Amino acid sequence: MLYLVGLGLADEKDITVRGLEVVKSASRVYLEAYTSILLVDKEKLEAFYGRSVIVADRELVETGSDEILYGATDVDVAFLVVGDPFGATTHTDLVLRARELGIQTKSIPNASIMSGIGCTGLQLYNFGQTVSMVFFTETWKPSSYYDRVKENASLGLHTLVLLDIKVKEQSLENMARGRKIYEPPRYMTVAQCASQMLETEEERKEGVYGPDSLAIGAARVGAPDQELVAGTLKELAEVDMGRPLHSLVLLGKRAHDLEKDYILQFAVNKETFNTAWKQGYGAS
Amino acid sequence: MLYLVGLGLADEKDITVRGLEVVKSASRVYLEAYTSILLVDKEKLEAFYGRSVIVADRELVETGSDEILYGATDVDVAFLVVGDPFGATTHTDLVLRARELGIQTKSIPNASIMSGIGCTGLQLYNFGQTVSMVFFTETWKPSSYYDRVKENASLGLHTLVLLDIKVKEQSLENMARGRKIYEPPRYMTVAQCASQMLETEEERKEGVYGPDSLAIGAARVGAPDQELVAGTLKELAEVDMGRPLHSLVLLGKRAHDLEKDYILQFAVNKETFNTAWKQGYGAS
């Protein structure tokens, strides 16, 4: 059996009781560690589980899935995923491959950022499609996310923006020379995301949002030091929310008063928040 | 401290390790039991927790919140919510009330149906806003959900439909006479939802979907006997998916081939599925 086990969002204790049972009894345990990260390192997980864990990087999952699945018709293999196994990154390809090999699969759900973002007090009902923001470079500033945000905004819906992480990436030079030297991990911050969003609006000029549009920055959702900040994009572009992971929500105009009451308590500046709110939010 | 603890979707073992620690050490433990249910009863939870649990019905939560919060400036009170505390039903009002009383709050996230529905293999990125379907009566067939589905469909997005549950409801007669006699609980099935959707389309005639539109029925997400069925709305209106809880996803036209590969495996009828798919799905 292949078990896909969700680990939740923050640390080793966010696994479910059922998930922990699977981890303790499986023959092999893999940890998917390239699309998201827990806020604790592998050693802490191993100490908590009382067993060793194999880190599965992108290469292993995408090209070595048969190695992960080896023998799983007879023994139990656990594949651990930060968040939910079918959350922001789905592992349907691994499940489909397992089925081809006649291996049964089972999934142990857990909190995902896609629902955990409800901690902002915004109604999950009022979210449109989710988008991803990648690190811009001098020459590559993809703005397809802007079209999705525009669609959501036209309906007055909130947009969850998931922020890029770069783990075990090679520089172009090292890749070209075949050197397996990896860059230090990078995690996008709320401030970077907000300023990239403003950069795209500057370029596209379709008025989907602007410096005075309201958004919420969320850092370390579900962790003891979770932090939420509400403000205009201009304000959020200056905010320091500490260590990763960060996410951002662009507020939809259909936001209602109960949502406002909740988010106002963590506004960077209640005055600018209220001024921005009056520019068209709360219309239902 | 007020702890809002997510219980996850299926049974007593879906609580997280951190959540279980809170439940074991809190002074009082309440179970919110009117917006969703676990698939196990209170006695099983109490046996697993090794302590007693107070069932909080709608009346207690909505009008007796100060009773729940009593003393929580000094002792820990745990408020257990099926799914995630800020998932389909948010408990922001309870948190706001706690803050007014100077009580600190903390939330323990868990799987919610809003992310757990990813088990269908559909990308959570491609979902639009979520809607709710209530039980129609002879005289009351609200169709505001139809407008939301229309908005999602116009963008090619999937729609998650959450199905009504009726727990501890009084009949109009008993209510009028002030008799605290409650009707047996009712849980909407996928078949009922599909046929109500077709009824609305018949009435509204805006062509948002029809008998040949593709949808997925999901029963008992996250449980060992989880069941998924894909088919046309006409097919789903006839399907028997067993005990609650059920949910439904109306497929968006922007669905892509990897999603199709995954859901095809649980099609009621692969032939009608493929025929329906060719009527405009997969356009990106």
PDB file of all heavy atoms in Angstrom, chain A residues 11 13 15 17-18 21 88 99 114-115 125 127 129 132 151 254 265, chain B residues 11 13 15 17-18 21 88 99 115 124-125 127 129 132 151 254 265:
ATOM      1  N   ASP A  11       4.558  22.182  12.230  1.00  0.00           N
ATOM      2  CA  ASP A  11       5.646  21.380  12.776  1.00  0.00           C
ATOM      3  C   ASP A  11       5.265  19.915  12.963  1.00  0.00           C
ATOM      4  O   ASP A  11       4.238  19.462  12.469  1.00  0.00           O
ATOM      5  CB  ASP A  11       6.209  22.025  14.049  1.00  0.00           C
ATOM      6  CG  ASP A  11       5.197  22.030  15.190  1.00  0.00           C
ATOM      7  OD1 ASP A  11       4.330  21.133  15.229  1.00  0.00           O
ATOM      8  OD2 ASP A  11       5.263  22.924  16.040  1.00  0.00           O
ATOM      9  N   LYS A  13       4.087  18.138  15.248  1.00  0.00           N
ATOM     10  CA  LYS A  13       2.869  17.746  15.964  1.00  0.00           C
ATOM     11  C   LYS A  13       1.592  18.018  15.168  1.00  0.00           C
ATOM     12  O   LYS A  13       0.491  17.811  15.671  1.00  0.00           O
ATOM     13  CB  LYS A  13       2.793  18.470  17.311  1.00  0.00           C
ATOM     14  CG  LYS A  13       3.823  17.959  18.296  1.00  0.00           C
ATOM     15  CD  LYS A  13       3.578  18.546  19.666  1.00  0.00           C
ATOM     16  CE  LYS A  13       4.617  18.024  20.655  1.00  0.00           C
ATOM     17  NZ  LYS A  13       4.455  18.691  21.966  1.00  0.00           N
ATOM     18  N   ILE A  15       0.850  16.465  12.418  1.00  0.00           N
ATOM     19  CA  ILE A  15       0.412  15.216  11.785  1.00  0.00           C
ATOM     20  C   ILE A  15      -0.807  14.700  12.561  1.00  0.00           C
ATOM     21  O   ILE A  15      -0.960  14.986  13.755  1.00  0.00           O
ATOM     22  CB  ILE A  15       1.560  14.175  11.789  1.00  0.00           C
ATOM     23  CG1 ILE A  15       1.245  13.016  10.840  1.00  0.00           C
ATOM     24  CG2 ILE A  15       1.850  13.675  13.201  1.00  0.00           C
ATOM     25  CD1 ILE A  15       2.431  12.094  10.597  1.00  0.00           C
ATOM     26  N   VAL A  17      -3.284  11.748  14.257  1.00  0.00           N
ATOM     27  CA  VAL A  17      -3.020  10.512  15.002  1.00  0.00           C
ATOM     28  C   VAL A  17      -2.954   9.330  14.027  1.00  0.00           C
ATOM     29  O   VAL A  17      -2.065   8.482  14.102  1.00  0.00           O
ATOM     30  CB  VAL A  17      -4.107  10.298  16.080  1.00  0.00           C
ATOM     31  CG1 VAL A  17      -3.974   8.929  16.720  1.00  0.00           C
ATOM     32  CG2 VAL A  17      -4.029  11.407  17.128  1.00  0.00           C
ATOM     33  N   ARG A  18      -3.887   9.310  13.068  1.00  0.00           N
ATOM     34  CA  ARG A  18      -3.876   8.239  12.078  1.00  0.00           C
ATOM     35  C   ARG A  18      -2.607   8.288  11.215  1.00  0.00           C
ATOM     36  O   ARG A  18      -1.990   7.261  10.931  1.00  0.00           O
ATOM     37  CB  ARG A  18      -5.095   8.346  11.157  1.00  0.00           C
ATOM     38  CG  ARG A  18      -5.194   7.212  10.129  1.00  0.00           C
ATOM     39  CD  ARG A  18      -6.318   7.460   9.139  1.00  0.00           C
ATOM     40  NE  ARG A  18      -7.569   7.739   9.808  1.00  0.00           N
ATOM     41  CZ  ARG A  18      -8.327   6.794  10.390  1.00  0.00           C
ATOM     42  NH1 ARG A  18      -7.965   5.539  10.327  1.00  0.00           N
ATOM     43  NH2 ARG A  18      -9.434   7.130  10.995  1.00  0.00           N
ATOM     44  N   GLU A  21       0.361   6.885  13.062  1.00  0.00           N
ATOM     45  CA  GLU A  21       0.337   5.413  13.091  1.00  0.00           C
ATOM     46  C   GLU A  21       0.930   4.836  11.804  1.00  0.00           C
ATOM     47  O   GLU A  21       1.700   3.883  11.833  1.00  0.00           O
ATOM     48  CB  GLU A  21      -1.112   4.908  13.234  1.00  0.00           C
ATOM     49  CG  GLU A  21      -1.696   5.081  14.618  1.00  0.00           C
ATOM     50  CD  GLU A  21      -3.157   4.604  14.714  1.00  0.00           C
ATOM     51  OE1 GLU A  21      -3.724   4.157  13.685  1.00  0.00           O
ATOM     52  OE2 GLU A  21      -3.714   4.681  15.811  1.00  0.00           O
ATOM     53  N   ALA A  88      -2.147  22.183  -2.404  1.00  0.00           N
ATOM     54  CA  ALA A  88      -1.582  23.108  -3.387  1.00  0.00           C
ATOM     55  C   ALA A  88      -0.816  22.347  -4.476  1.00  0.00           C
ATOM     56  O   ALA A  88      -0.931  22.644  -5.654  1.00  0.00           O
ATOM     57  CB  ALA A  88      -0.672  24.100  -2.676  1.00  0.00           C
ATOM     58  N   ARG A  99      -1.214   2.964  -9.266  1.00  0.00           N
ATOM     59  CA  ARG A  99      -2.339   2.159  -9.755  1.00  0.00           C
ATOM     60  C   ARG A  99      -1.922   1.316 -10.954  1.00  0.00           C
ATOM     61  O   ARG A  99      -2.323   0.156 -11.077  1.00  0.00           O
ATOM     62  CB  ARG A  99      -3.500   3.079 -10.144  1.00  0.00           C
ATOM     63  CG  ARG A  99      -3.997   3.912  -8.968  1.00  0.00           C
ATOM     64  CD  ARG A  99      -5.464   3.713  -8.675  1.00  0.00           C
ATOM     65  NE  ARG A  99      -5.774   4.329  -7.379  1.00  0.00           N
ATOM     66  CZ  ARG A  99      -6.596   5.360  -7.203  1.00  0.00           C
ATOM     67  NH1 ARG A  99      -7.243   5.879  -8.238  1.00  0.00           N
ATOM     68  NH2 ARG A  99      -6.818   5.846  -6.004  1.00  0.00           N
ATOM     69  N   MET A 114      -4.624  26.030   1.411  1.00  0.00           N
ATOM     70  CA  MET A 114      -5.836  26.393   0.675  1.00  0.00           C
ATOM     71  C   MET A 114      -7.047  26.527   1.614  1.00  0.00           C
ATOM     72  O   MET A 114      -7.994  27.233   1.304  1.00  0.00           O
ATOM     73  CB  MET A 114      -6.168  25.352  -0.397  1.00  0.00           C
ATOM     74  CG  MET A 114      -4.995  24.855  -1.205  1.00  0.00           C
ATOM     75  SD  MET A 114      -4.354  26.003  -2.452  1.00  0.00           S
ATOM     76  CE  MET A 114      -5.418  25.628  -3.841  1.00  0.00           C
ATOM     77  N   SER A 115      -7.039  25.815   2.730  1.00  0.00           N
ATOM     78  CA  SER A 115      -8.113  26.027   3.701  1.00  0.00           C
ATOM     79  C   SER A 115      -7.588  26.744   4.946  1.00  0.00           C
ATOM     80  O   SER A 115      -8.302  27.520   5.569  1.00  0.00           O
ATOM     81  CB  SER A 115      -8.774  24.695   4.092  1.00  0.00           C
ATOM     82  OG  SER A 115      -7.806  23.779   4.554  1.00  0.00           O
ATOM     83  N   TYR A 125     -15.673  30.581   1.313  1.00  0.00           N
ATOM     84  CA  TYR A 125     -16.697  30.631   0.261  1.00  0.00           C
ATOM     85  C   TYR A 125     -16.446  31.742  -0.749  1.00  0.00           C
ATOM     86  O   TYR A 125     -16.899  31.665  -1.884  1.00  0.00           O
ATOM     87  CB  TYR A 125     -18.081  30.925   0.878  1.00  0.00           C
ATOM     88  CG  TYR A 125     -18.741  29.782   1.559  1.00  0.00           C
ATOM     89  CD1 TYR A 125     -18.547  29.547   2.909  1.00  0.00           C
ATOM     90  CD2 TYR A 125     -19.589  28.934   0.853  1.00  0.00           C
ATOM     91  CE1 TYR A 125     -19.177  28.492   3.546  1.00  0.00           C
ATOM     92  CE2 TYR A 125     -20.229  27.885   1.488  1.00  0.00           C
ATOM     93  CZ  TYR A 125     -20.017  27.668   2.840  1.00  0.00           C
ATOM     94  OH  TYR A 125     -20.646  26.628   3.462  1.00  0.00           O
ATOM     95  N   PHE A 127     -13.625  32.968  -1.910  1.00  0.00           N
ATOM     96  CA  PHE A 127     -12.380  32.949  -2.667  1.00  0.00           C
ATOM     97  C   PHE A 127     -12.646  32.457  -4.085  1.00  0.00           C
ATOM     98  O   PHE A 127     -13.403  31.515  -4.295  1.00  0.00           O
ATOM     99  CB  PHE A 127     -11.355  32.019  -2.011  1.00  0.00           C
ATOM    100  CG  PHE A 127     -10.628  32.626  -0.838  1.00  0.00           C
ATOM    101  CD1 PHE A 127     -11.274  32.803   0.380  1.00  0.00           C
ATOM    102  CD2 PHE A 127      -9.309  33.033  -0.957  1.00  0.00           C
ATOM    103  CE1 PHE A 127     -10.606  33.369   1.462  1.00  0.00           C
ATOM    104  CE2 PHE A 127      -8.633  33.598   0.113  1.00  0.00           C
ATOM    105  CZ  PHE A 127      -9.281  33.766   1.329  1.00  0.00           C
ATOM    106  N   GLN A 129     -10.379  31.434  -7.785  1.00  0.00           N
ATOM    107  CA  GLN A 129      -9.257  30.539  -8.051  1.00  0.00           C
ATOM    108  C   GLN A 129      -7.978  31.037  -7.378  1.00  0.00           C
ATOM    109  O   GLN A 129      -7.793  32.229  -7.161  1.00  0.00           O
ATOM    110  CB  GLN A 129      -9.055  30.401  -9.553  1.00  0.00           C
ATOM    111  CG  GLN A 129      -8.811  31.732 -10.237  1.00  0.00           C
ATOM    112  CD  GLN A 129      -9.109  31.709 -11.715  1.00  0.00           C
ATOM    113  OE1 GLN A 129      -8.698  30.794 -12.420  1.00  0.00           O
ATOM    114  NE2 GLN A 129      -9.829  32.707 -12.189  1.00  0.00           N
ATOM    115  N   SER A 132      -0.355  31.417  -8.257  1.00  0.00           N
ATOM    116  CA  SER A 132       1.009  31.309  -7.738  1.00  0.00           C
ATOM    117  C   SER A 132       1.827  32.491  -8.219  1.00  0.00           C
ATOM    118  O   SER A 132       1.642  32.963  -9.340  1.00  0.00           O
ATOM    119  CB  SER A 132       1.678  30.042  -8.273  1.00  0.00           C
ATOM    120  OG  SER A 132       1.049  28.914  -7.743  1.00  0.00           O
ATOM    121  N   GLU A 151      -9.983  37.952 -13.243  1.00  0.00           N
ATOM    122  CA  GLU A 151     -11.241  37.206 -13.279  1.00  0.00           C
ATOM    123  C   GLU A 151     -11.889  37.189 -11.897  1.00  0.00           C
ATOM    124  O   GLU A 151     -13.090  37.449 -11.747  1.00  0.00           O
ATOM    125  CB  GLU A 151     -10.991  35.767 -13.760  1.00  0.00           C
ATOM    126  CG  GLU A 151     -10.590  35.686 -15.229  1.00  0.00           C
ATOM    127  CD  GLU A 151     -10.180  34.277 -15.671  1.00  0.00           C
ATOM    128  OE1 GLU A 151      -9.838  33.430 -14.808  1.00  0.00           O
ATOM    129  OE2 GLU A 151     -10.191  34.024 -16.880  1.00  0.00           O
ATOM    130  N   ARG A 254     -16.324  42.120  -2.792  1.00  0.00           N
ATOM    131  CA  ARG A 254     -17.551  41.599  -2.192  1.00  0.00           C
ATOM    132  C   ARG A 254     -17.364  41.286  -0.697  1.00  0.00           C
ATOM    133  O   ARG A 254     -18.263  40.761  -0.043  1.00  0.00           O
ATOM    134  CB  ARG A 254     -17.917  40.305  -2.929  1.00  0.00           C
ATOM    135  CG  ARG A 254     -19.378  40.144  -3.252  1.00  0.00           C
ATOM    136  CD  ARG A 254     -19.630  38.702  -3.732  1.00  0.00           C
ATOM    137  NE  ARG A 254     -19.868  38.598  -5.151  1.00  0.00           N
ATOM    138  CZ  ARG A 254     -19.928  37.425  -5.799  1.00  0.00           C
ATOM    139  NH1 ARG A 254     -19.741  36.293  -5.158  1.00  0.00           N
ATOM    140  NH2 ARG A 254     -20.147  37.398  -7.085  1.00  0.00           N
ATOM    141  N   GLN A 265      -8.511  44.133  12.994  1.00  0.00           N
ATOM    142  CA  GLN A 265      -7.695  44.041  14.212  1.00  0.00           C
ATOM    143  C   GLN A 265      -6.205  43.854  13.933  1.00  0.00           C
ATOM    144  O   GLN A 265      -5.383  44.140  14.784  1.00  0.00           O
ATOM    145  CB  GLN A 265      -8.224  42.932  15.127  1.00  0.00           C
ATOM    146  CG  GLN A 265      -8.206  41.564  14.470  1.00  0.00           C
ATOM    147  CD  GLN A 265      -8.868  40.475  15.310  1.00  0.00           C
ATOM    148  OE1 GLN A 265      -8.953  40.588  16.521  1.00  0.00           O
ATOM    149  NE2 GLN A 265      -9.307  39.413  14.657  1.00  0.00           N
TER     150      GLN A 265
ATOM    151  N   ASP B  11     -12.945  10.473  11.437  1.00  0.00           N
ATOM    152  CA  ASP B  11     -13.176   9.866  12.747  1.00  0.00           C
ATOM    153  C   ASP B  11     -12.211  10.379  13.812  1.00  0.00           C
ATOM    154  O   ASP B  11     -11.514  11.368  13.598  1.00  0.00           O
ATOM    155  CB  ASP B  11     -13.195   8.335  12.635  1.00  0.00           C
ATOM    156  CG  ASP B  11     -11.836   7.771  12.250  1.00  0.00           C
ATOM    157  OD1 ASP B  11     -10.807   8.391  12.557  1.00  0.00           O
ATOM    158  OD2 ASP B  11     -11.810   6.679  11.632  1.00  0.00           O
ATOM    159  N   LYS B  13      -9.440   9.548  14.963  1.00  0.00           N
ATOM    160  CA  LYS B  13      -7.987   9.571  14.760  1.00  0.00           C
ATOM    161  C   LYS B  13      -7.527  10.650  13.784  1.00  0.00           C
ATOM    162  O   LYS B  13      -6.350  10.723  13.452  1.00  0.00           O
ATOM    163  CB  LYS B  13      -7.514   8.206  14.268  1.00  0.00           C
ATOM    164  CG  LYS B  13      -7.599   7.135  15.341  1.00  0.00           C
ATOM    165  CD  LYS B  13      -6.939   5.853  14.873  1.00  0.00           C
ATOM    166  CE  LYS B  13      -6.988   4.808  15.976  1.00  0.00           C
ATOM    167  NZ  LYS B  13      -6.459   3.511  15.485  1.00  0.00           N
ATOM    168  N   ILE B  15      -7.772  13.810  14.392  1.00  0.00           N
ATOM    169  CA  ILE B  15      -7.279  14.962  15.146  1.00  0.00           C
ATOM    170  C   ILE B  15      -5.755  14.968  15.047  1.00  0.00           C
ATOM    171  O   ILE B  15      -5.129  13.915  14.872  1.00  0.00           O
ATOM    172  CB  ILE B  15      -7.755  14.897  16.625  1.00  0.00           C
ATOM    173  CG1 ILE B  15      -7.561  16.242  17.325  1.00  0.00           C
ATOM    174  CG2 ILE B  15      -7.041  13.763  17.388  1.00  0.00           C
ATOM    175  CD1 ILE B  15      -8.229  16.299  18.709  1.00  0.00           C
ATOM    176  N   VAL B  17      -1.843  15.556  16.484  1.00  0.00           N
ATOM    177  CA  VAL B  17      -1.177  15.263  17.758  1.00  0.00           C
ATOM    178  C   VAL B  17      -1.262  16.486  18.673  1.00  0.00           C
ATOM    179  O   VAL B  17      -1.573  16.378  19.859  1.00  0.00           O
ATOM    180  CB  VAL B  17       0.289  14.849  17.505  1.00  0.00           C
ATOM    181  CG1 VAL B  17       1.055  14.742  18.816  1.00  0.00           C
ATOM    182  CG2 VAL B  17       0.341  13.528  16.727  1.00  0.00           C
ATOM    183  N   ARG B  18      -1.047  17.664  18.080  1.00  0.00           N
ATOM    184  CA  ARG B  18      -1.148  18.897  18.883  1.00  0.00           C
ATOM    185  C   ARG B  18      -2.576  19.108  19.390  1.00  0.00           C
ATOM    186  O   ARG B  18      -2.785  19.479  20.553  1.00  0.00           O
ATOM    187  CB  ARG B  18      -0.729  20.106  18.050  1.00  0.00           C
ATOM    188  CG  ARG B  18      -0.766  21.423  18.826  1.00  0.00           C
ATOM    189  CD  ARG B  18      -0.507  22.624  17.925  1.00  0.00           C
ATOM    190  NE  ARG B  18       0.695  22.446  17.150  1.00  0.00           N
ATOM    191  CZ  ARG B  18       1.921  22.602  17.643  1.00  0.00           C
ATOM    192  NH1 ARG B  18       2.097  22.950  18.892  1.00  0.00           N
ATOM    193  NH2 ARG B  18       2.969  22.406  16.869  1.00  0.00           N
ATOM    194  N   GLU B  21      -3.321  16.889  22.348  1.00  0.00           N
ATOM    195  CA  GLU B  21      -2.710  17.395  23.589  1.00  0.00           C
ATOM    196  C   GLU B  21      -3.603  18.459  24.234  1.00  0.00           C
ATOM    197  O   GLU B  21      -3.793  18.462  25.445  1.00  0.00           O
ATOM    198  CB  GLU B  21      -1.337  18.023  23.289  1.00  0.00           C
ATOM    199  CG  GLU B  21      -0.239  17.008  23.008  1.00  0.00           C
ATOM    200  CD  GLU B  21       1.100  17.670  22.657  1.00  0.00           C
ATOM    201  OE1 GLU B  21       1.181  18.920  22.623  1.00  0.00           O
ATOM    202  OE2 GLU B  21       2.056  16.922  22.418  1.00  0.00           O
ATOM    203  N   ALA B  88     -15.388  25.512   6.229  1.00  0.00           N
ATOM    204  CA  ALA B  88     -16.693  25.784   5.622  1.00  0.00           C
ATOM    205  C   ALA B  88     -17.541  26.680   6.532  1.00  0.00           C
ATOM    206  O   ALA B  88     -18.183  27.610   6.079  1.00  0.00           O
ATOM    207  CB  ALA B  88     -17.409  24.471   5.326  1.00  0.00           C
ATOM    208  N   ARG B  99     -12.143  37.829  22.199  1.00  0.00           N
ATOM    209  CA  ARG B  99     -11.222  38.979  22.254  1.00  0.00           C
ATOM    210  C   ARG B  99     -11.833  40.130  23.053  1.00  0.00           C
ATOM    211  O   ARG B  99     -11.141  40.793  23.820  1.00  0.00           O
ATOM    212  CB  ARG B  99     -10.890  39.438  20.829  1.00  0.00           C
ATOM    213  CG  ARG B  99     -10.227  38.344  20.010  1.00  0.00           C
ATOM    214  CD  ARG B  99      -8.882  38.732  19.460  1.00  0.00           C
ATOM    215  NE  ARG B  99      -8.222  37.532  18.936  1.00  0.00           N
ATOM    216  CZ  ARG B  99      -7.925  37.331  17.658  1.00  0.00           C
ATOM    217  NH1 ARG B  99      -8.179  38.262  16.751  1.00  0.00           N
ATOM    218  NH2 ARG B  99      -7.324  36.218  17.279  1.00  0.00           N
ATOM    219  N   SER B 115     -10.430  21.782   1.219  1.00  0.00           N
ATOM    220  CA  SER B 115      -9.188  21.299   0.606  1.00  0.00           C
ATOM    221  C   SER B 115      -9.238  19.789   0.418  1.00  0.00           C
ATOM    222  O   SER B 115      -8.675  19.259  -0.539  1.00  0.00           O
ATOM    223  CB  SER B 115      -7.973  21.705   1.438  1.00  0.00           C
ATOM    224  OG  SER B 115      -8.114  21.262   2.768  1.00  0.00           O
ATOM    225  N   LEU B 124      -7.000  22.059  -6.880  1.00  0.00           N
ATOM    226  CA  LEU B 124      -7.676  23.075  -6.071  1.00  0.00           C
ATOM    227  C   LEU B 124      -7.510  24.481  -6.661  1.00  0.00           C
ATOM    228  O   LEU B 124      -8.347  25.346  -6.453  1.00  0.00           O
ATOM    229  CB  LEU B 124      -7.171  23.045  -4.629  1.00  0.00           C
ATOM    230  CG  LEU B 124      -7.528  21.780  -3.835  1.00  0.00           C
ATOM    231  CD1 LEU B 124      -6.970  21.884  -2.420  1.00  0.00           C
ATOM    232  CD2 LEU B 124      -9.025  21.544  -3.777  1.00  0.00           C
ATOM    233  N   TYR B 125      -6.447  24.674  -7.413  1.00  0.00           N
ATOM    234  CA  TYR B 125      -6.227  25.956  -8.108  1.00  0.00           C
ATOM    235  C   TYR B 125      -7.382  26.315  -9.044  1.00  0.00           C
ATOM    236  O   TYR B 125      -7.607  27.478  -9.333  1.00  0.00           O
ATOM    237  CB  TYR B 125      -4.989  25.864  -9.009  1.00  0.00           C
ATOM    238  CG  TYR B 125      -3.679  25.944  -8.311  1.00  0.00           C
ATOM    239  CD1 TYR B 125      -3.037  24.814  -7.846  1.00  0.00           C
ATOM    240  CD2 TYR B 125      -3.053  27.176  -8.132  1.00  0.00           C
ATOM    241  CE1 TYR B 125      -1.807  24.883  -7.213  1.00  0.00           C
ATOM    242  CE2 TYR B 125      -1.821  27.266  -7.507  1.00  0.00           C
ATOM    243  CZ  TYR B 125      -1.200  26.111  -7.046  1.00  0.00           C
ATOM    244  OH  TYR B 125       0.006  26.197  -6.416  1.00  0.00           O
ATOM    245  N   PHE B 127     -10.600  25.748  -8.768  1.00  0.00           N
ATOM    246  CA  PHE B 127     -11.932  25.908  -8.198  1.00  0.00           C
ATOM    247  C   PHE B 127     -12.268  27.388  -8.082  1.00  0.00           C
ATOM    248  O   PHE B 127     -11.440  28.194  -7.698  1.00  0.00           O
ATOM    249  CB  PHE B 127     -12.013  25.280  -6.805  1.00  0.00           C
ATOM    250  CG  PHE B 127     -12.198  23.780  -6.813  1.00  0.00           C
ATOM    251  CD1 PHE B 127     -11.155  22.934  -7.159  1.00  0.00           C
ATOM    252  CD2 PHE B 127     -13.420  23.220  -6.479  1.00  0.00           C
ATOM    253  CE1 PHE B 127     -11.332  21.551  -7.175  1.00  0.00           C
ATOM    254  CE2 PHE B 127     -13.609  21.840  -6.486  1.00  0.00           C
ATOM    255  CZ  PHE B 127     -12.564  21.005  -6.841  1.00  0.00           C
ATOM    256  N   GLN B 129     -15.508  30.013  -6.495  1.00  0.00           N
ATOM    257  CA  GLN B 129     -16.137  30.115  -5.190  1.00  0.00           C
ATOM    258  C   GLN B 129     -16.976  28.864  -4.872  1.00  0.00           C
ATOM    259  O   GLN B 129     -17.467  28.185  -5.769  1.00  0.00           O
ATOM    260  CB  GLN B 129     -17.012  31.363  -5.152  1.00  0.00           C
ATOM    261  CG  GLN B 129     -18.077  31.369  -6.232  1.00  0.00           C
ATOM    262  CD  GLN B 129     -18.598  32.758  -6.539  1.00  0.00           C
ATOM    263  OE1 GLN B 129     -18.904  33.528  -5.658  1.00  0.00           O
ATOM    264  NE2 GLN B 129     -18.688  33.071  -7.816  1.00  0.00           N
ATOM    265  N   SER B 132     -23.385  26.482  -1.377  1.00  0.00           N
ATOM    266  CA  SER B 132     -24.113  25.552  -0.516  1.00  0.00           C
ATOM    267  C   SER B 132     -25.449  25.214  -1.150  1.00  0.00           C
ATOM    268  O   SER B 132     -26.073  26.078  -1.766  1.00  0.00           O
ATOM    269  CB  SER B 132     -24.399  26.191   0.841  1.00  0.00           C
ATOM    270  OG  SER B 132     -23.201  26.386   1.536  1.00  0.00           O
ATOM    271  N   GLU B 151     -21.177  32.175 -12.461  1.00  0.00           N
ATOM    272  CA  GLU B 151     -19.935  32.962 -12.487  1.00  0.00           C
ATOM    273  C   GLU B 151     -18.718  32.049 -12.643  1.00  0.00           C
ATOM    274  O   GLU B 151     -17.846  32.288 -13.475  1.00  0.00           O
ATOM    275  CB  GLU B 151     -19.800  33.782 -11.197  1.00  0.00           C
ATOM    276  CG  GLU B 151     -20.830  34.919 -11.093  1.00  0.00           C
ATOM    277  CD  GLU B 151     -20.815  35.621  -9.736  1.00  0.00           C
ATOM    278  OE1 GLU B 151     -20.298  35.052  -8.737  1.00  0.00           O
ATOM    279  OE2 GLU B 151     -21.337  36.742  -9.656  1.00  0.00           O
ATOM    280  N   ARG B 254     -12.582  24.282 -18.050  1.00  0.00           N
ATOM    281  CA  ARG B 254     -11.132  24.440 -18.162  1.00  0.00           C
ATOM    282  C   ARG B 254     -10.381  23.211 -17.618  1.00  0.00           C
ATOM    283  O   ARG B 254      -9.146  23.217 -17.561  1.00  0.00           O
ATOM    284  CB  ARG B 254     -10.729  25.675 -17.353  1.00  0.00           C
ATOM    285  CG  ARG B 254      -9.723  26.573 -18.015  1.00  0.00           C
ATOM    286  CD  ARG B 254      -9.213  27.587 -16.983  1.00  0.00           C
ATOM    287  NE  ARG B 254      -9.725  28.929 -17.179  1.00  0.00           N
ATOM    288  CZ  ARG B 254      -9.544  29.922 -16.295  1.00  0.00           C
ATOM    289  NH1 ARG B 254      -8.902  29.705 -15.160  1.00  0.00           N
ATOM    290  NH2 ARG B 254     -10.035  31.113 -16.526  1.00  0.00           N
ATOM    291  N   GLN B 265     -11.183   7.127 -13.859  1.00  0.00           N
ATOM    292  CA  GLN B 265     -11.146   5.812 -13.198  1.00  0.00           C
ATOM    293  C   GLN B 265     -12.351   5.538 -12.300  1.00  0.00           C
ATOM    294  O   GLN B 265     -12.650   4.386 -12.016  1.00  0.00           O
ATOM    295  CB  GLN B 265      -9.834   5.633 -12.420  1.00  0.00           C
ATOM    296  CG  GLN B 265      -9.649   6.691 -11.351  1.00  0.00           C
ATOM    297  CD  GLN B 265      -8.300   6.620 -10.648  1.00  0.00           C
ATOM    298  OE1 GLN B 265      -7.642   5.588 -10.653  1.00  0.00           O
ATOM    299  NE2 GLN B 265      -7.897   7.725 -10.042  1.00  0.00           N
TER     300      GLN B 265
END
